[in-house]
Amino acid sequence: MSLHLSGERLVLRELKQGDLPFALDVYNSNPGYNLLRNGESSVTLEEVQAEYDSTLSIPTGYWLALCSRDKLIGIMHLIVSNPADQKSWISMLLLHAEYQQQGFGKEAVCLVEQHCIAAGSNNIHHGVMAHNEQALRFWGRLGYEQYRQVQAPVGRLTQPVLLVAKWL
């Protein structure tokens, strides 16, 4: 089943194999995020490919391209119903550095929340690296509340992750 969500300024569509070089550009425009996640400021196409394959191996997992005016400006991982816990998860949201702080992230999250409501979800979850203060503020502004801290693998590192959720 294909996923295509449209908003005011964004279209969220499934990321295709041919989009991976653009996804790599999104990652590498965020060296601070990569440092937190991997201990290095950049990632390789092979790492992006492995993450792509892993996300798509989940039956309701989607790797979404965030597009504005037909330009890929961000990426998002969505799991509508995780087989492990039956919860909806946004497991990643990353915008190209040139498009941050302009409301695109908020619009993308709202579109995904609406999709999850239509799919029968009562809440949606996300994990934020504990040292990523900018992301913690973003998710908090959108109404997500912390409910637990865990040690979890994120990228190449295992680190403290704050689990946040929002009732839909």
Side-chain angles (χ1 to χ4, degrees):
M1 180 169 76
S2 181
L3 185 59
H4 184 93
L5 307 171
S6 296
E8 274 188 47
R9 301 182 301 154
L10 279 180
V11 169
L12 278 59
R13 63 164 176 80
E14 290 185 52
L15 190 92
K16 303 295 183 199
Q17 185 80 29
D19 295 324
L20 291 181
F22 299 105
L24 178 66
D25 184 49
V26 170
Y27 271 105
N28 288 332
S29 76
N30 291 280
Y33 172 77
N34 292 331
L35 275 170
L36 282 175
R37 190 173 188 259
N38 298 316
E40 294 182 19
S41 62
S42 64
V43 298
T44 66
L45 188 57
E46 292 76 21
E47 289 171 307
V48 175
Q49 177 72 54
E51 193 169 319
Y52 179 77
D53 293 341
S54 174
T55 300
L56 296 184
S57 72
I58 300 168
T60 62
Y62 297 94
W63 197 344
L64 300 173
L66 283 60
C67 301
S68 177
R69 297 188 197 138
D70 295 327
K71 179 172 175 58
L72 193 151
I73 65 164
I75 51 180
M76 178 186 268
H77 299 170
L78 171 66
I79 303 169
V80 177
S81 180
N82 187 340
D85 59 15
Q86 285 67 57
K87 296 176 183 175
S88 295
W89 287 86
I90 298 172
S91 56
M92 188 188 66
L93 169 62
L94 188 61
L95 288 168
H96 192 285
E98 292 178 11
Y99 295 92
Q100 293 176 9
Q101 311 254 334
Q102 298 175 41
F104 290 111
K106 178 181 179 180
E107 184 175 340
V109 171
C110 288
L111 288 169
V112 165
E113 288 173 352
Q114 292 168 4
H115 176 75
C116 288
I117 289 169
S121 298
N122 295 325
N123 52 55
I124 191 163
H125 299 256
H126 181 69
V128 182
M129 292 176 287
H131 302 296
N132 191 341
E133 293 177 23
Q134 182 179 358
L136 289 169
R137 285 191 301 273
F138 171 79
W139 291 100
R141 282 192 304 271
L142 295 182
Y144 286 73
E145 297 179 4
Q146 179 185 343
Y147 64 91
R148 186 168 42 157
Q149 180 174 323
V150 298
Q151 284 290 118
V154 181
R156 296 182 207 140
L157 306 175
T158 297
Q159 58 186 297
V161 174
L162 304 176
L163 301 180
V164 296
K166 179 178 180 180
W167 287 97
L168 302 174

